[in-house]
Structures are given as C-alpha cells and as structure tokens.
Amino acid sequence: MAIQYAMVARGSVVLAEFSSGQSNASAVARQILEKIPGTEDSHVSYSQDRFIFHVKRTDGITVLCMADESAGRRIPFAFLEDIHGRFIKLYGRACHTALAYAMNEEFSRVLSQQMDYYSNDPNADRMNRMKGEMSQVRNVMIENIDKVLERGDRLELLVDKTANMQGNTIRFRKQARRFRNTVWWRNVKLTIALILLLLVIIYVVLAFMCHGITLPTCFR
C-alpha cells in the first residue's frame, strides 16, 4: 500500500489516526507534530529511509500521512486535501475543542477507506491529473527528518516488512539469486574437497597394497 499511515491532529493533540500495518509511524508522526515550527498554514514533506511523511496544516488542523517514496507527492497531498475536507465537513467547529482521539472510532474507518482508495485505485490518480497538480504541491520541498528532529530525539522508523513486500520484490529476487549462487559454489567446493579426500584415501590404500602391507599391520 502506497499510503501506510494517516493522522488528523490539532496542534499536538491527535484526534484520529489509522495504520495499515505494524510500525512505529505514530510515534514518529508525534515527534514531527511537536517540532513543526510556526502556526501558519503549510504543506511540507519529511523523508526518512524510503518513506516520506507529508503534512498539510490548514486553520489549525493538521493532516499527516506516511507514504512510500515511490508514491511521489501528488497522490499523498490529494489524499490529505480529501481527508481535511471530509474531517471539517463532518465535525465542523467541534474539532477545535475536541479531546484526544475523540473522533478516532468513527474517522479511523474513513482514513482506512481513503488510504486504500488513493493507494490502489487508478482512478484516484487519474482524477487528480484531470484537476491538475495542486500549486502548493509543486513548491513542497522534501526535507530530511533530521532537520526537524534532533538526532538524539529521533526515533528510527520501524515498519513491518510484510507491508512492503510488493515494493521489495526486485531487491528480494536479487538477494535470492545471490544466495543461490553462493550455495551452489559452496556445494561445488565441498564436492571437490570430498573427491580429493577420496582420491587421497584410494592412493594411500593402493600404496600400502603395492608394498605388500596390510592396513591392520601398519597400525600394530
């Protein structure tokens, strides 16, 4: 899945979130919320390993998602735009005073559905192409997360490998091929060593027999 985690927050108060797999993306996202400077509206992206955290903040409400870097920026920001609109339409002014996770039970299902749609449905990208790229996305600079978080405070992003098997297929095939070659050469070397050992034993036995010496006699 291209988009693997999503969150809606007010400041550092998380109102709803959803993750498609096992990871600590939620903890990393909280660090990003606490370190983002200023209070004005913004569209920013932060990279960490092969994942990018995209952030959209409008009128005090922040929507954030973690996507594979191969997803680019148009789809994740279209997703954030969609989520922000749905959230405001559904909760209105209540989102500005709600307690932490007040909307999670209901809105996490919306996050799940839209994450699946924007990750897997080709119509999602087709519609965004028809609309044209959002102007703010063109100007988004992707910064490394180290610029936002102090290295001592930064959490390493841990994502369940099963959630990224599709993106790692090529790498897996190369590793598997390399492993097979290594095992094959190891077997060849072992076979040669066994053949040489067998030849040495045959040579020794024949040498004793040529001299009329039996093996039991040699060890008396």
Side-chain angles (χ1 to χ4, degrees):
M1 183 178 286
I3 301 175
Q4 300 183 22
Y5 171 79
M7 167 196 285
V8 181
R10 183 188 68 250
S12 60
V13 178
V14 178
L15 301 175
E17 66 179 342
F18 180 80
S19 178
S20 63
Q22 296 180 355
S23 74
N24 68 334
S26 177
V28 176
R30 282 171 172 74
Q31 284 192 318
I32 293 176
L33 289 179
E34 294 175 356
K35 298 292 184 176
I36 294 177
T39 57
E40 65 278 2
D41 294 356
S42 62
H43 297 77
V44 293
S45 297
Y46 302 102
S47 66
Q48 185 174 9
D49 301 325
R50 63 181 183 280
F51 297 98
I52 299 180
F53 287 83
H54 302 280
V55 184
K56 169 184 167 61
R57 183 168 56 194
T58 306
D59 298 329
I61 298 299
T62 301
V63 285
L64 175 153
C65 71
M66 183 189 79
D68 191 284
E69 62 182 358
S70 63
R73 288 179 289 175
R74 183 177 58 251
I75 290 179
F77 273 100
F79 166 78
L80 295 180
E81 187 77 26
D82 182 18
I83 291 300
H84 182 270
R86 290 172 182 268
F87 192 80
I88 296 300
K89 183 178 180 180
L90 189 59
Y91 300 110
R93 294 183 177 276
C95 60
H96 294 286
T97 56
L99 299 176
Y101 289 98
M103 291 82 174
N104 192 65
E105 183 176 354
E106 180 181 22
F107 203 74
S108 60
R109 292 193 292 269
V110 177
L111 292 174
S112 174
Q113 293 170 357
Q114 296 310 107
M115 284 168 59
D116 181 69
Y117 172 70
Y118 280 90
S119 295
N120 301 315
D121 195 327
N123 288 325
D125 192 32
R126 191 176 300 119
M127 289 176 63
N128 291 317
R129 286 181 181 274
M130 290 175 62
K131 294 177 183 178
E133 292 189 10
M134 294 176 292
S135 59
Q136 62 267 30
V137 176
R138 297 196 195 103
N139 299 322
V140 172
M141 298 296 293
I142 299 180
E143 298 184 46
N144 190 282
I145 200 169
D146 285 334
K147 293 184 178 180
V148 179
L149 308 179
E150 294 295 332
R151 184 167 290 274
D153 296 333
R154 183 188 138 195
L155 290 176
E156 291 296 331
L157 181 62
L158 304 174
V159 179
D160 186 0
K161 292 181 180 179
T162 58
N164 302 293
M165 289 180 64
Q166 196 170 25
N168 294 332
T169 300
I170 297 178
R171 189 183 301 109
F172 174 80
R173 288 177 179 172
K174 289 182 179 179
Q175 292 175 345
R177 190 181 303 114
R178 192 180 302 115
F179 177 75
R180 286 197 299 269
N181 291 338
T182 301
V183 172
W184 184 81
W185 275 110
R186 187 181 301 165
N187 291 337
V188 169
K189 292 177 182 178
L190 180 60
T191 301
I192 294 174
L194 290 174
I195 292 174
L196 290 176
L197 179 61
L198 182 60
L199 290 175
V200 170
I201 293 174
I202 293 174
Y203 173 81
V204 172
V205 171
L206 291 177
F208 278 117
M209 292 177 64
C210 289
H211 288 81
I213 303 174
T214 62
L215 287 176
T217 302
C218 296
F219 293 101
R220 287 178 183 174

